Amino acid sequence: MFRDLASVDDILPGGMKAYTVDEKEIVLCNDGGRFYAFQRRCGHMSAPLDMGTANGLVITCPLHSVQFDAATGKALSWPVPAYATEAQIPPTPDNFA
């Protein structure tokens, strides 16, 4: 199912914005007019990825600088625990609202 979350002008090129859809946190990012969606929480420590940086398709976590490919979801750097490639999301720490 597709949903309208934002207009093209809501997210500047190189930018990211978090949304909640059906109680799931996602981030939309704009890589030069191509848009990607991914899970908001980092698989390492559950940090909000939209608070990190986007450099092209490389998303860097604000907590420990783990990097992900926005197009594939693949982890590009360490630390990456085993659960980062599984469907289960670790619990959200209280300090990351």
Side-chain angles (χ1 to χ4, degrees), residues 4-93:
D4 289 331
L5 292 179
S7 72
V8 172
D9 296 330
D10 289 344
I11 305 169
L12 296 174
M16 299 185 284
K17 189 169 182 180
Y19 295 90
T20 301
V21 179
D22 295 332
E23 299 181 23
K24 294 179 184 170
E25 296 179 312
I26 64 166
V27 174
L28 295 181
C29 75
N30 179 349
D31 178 38
R34 296 178 83 178
F35 291 82
Y36 298 88
F38 50 89
Q39 175 179 293
R40 182 178 185 222
R41 300 292 172 167
C42 176
H44 173 237
M45 293 292 292
S46 201
L49 292 173
D50 57 300
M51 302 300 282
T53 60
N55 184 1
L57 292 177
V58 178
I59 307 302
T60 303
C61 175
L63 189 57
H64 290 119
S65 300
V66 177
Q67 293 183 317
F68 301 92
D69 182 315
T72 66
K74 180 181 176 183
L76 302 174
S77 67
W78 297 97
V80 182
Y83 62 76
T85 59
E86 297 175 4
Q88 182 139 0
I89 302 169
T92 303

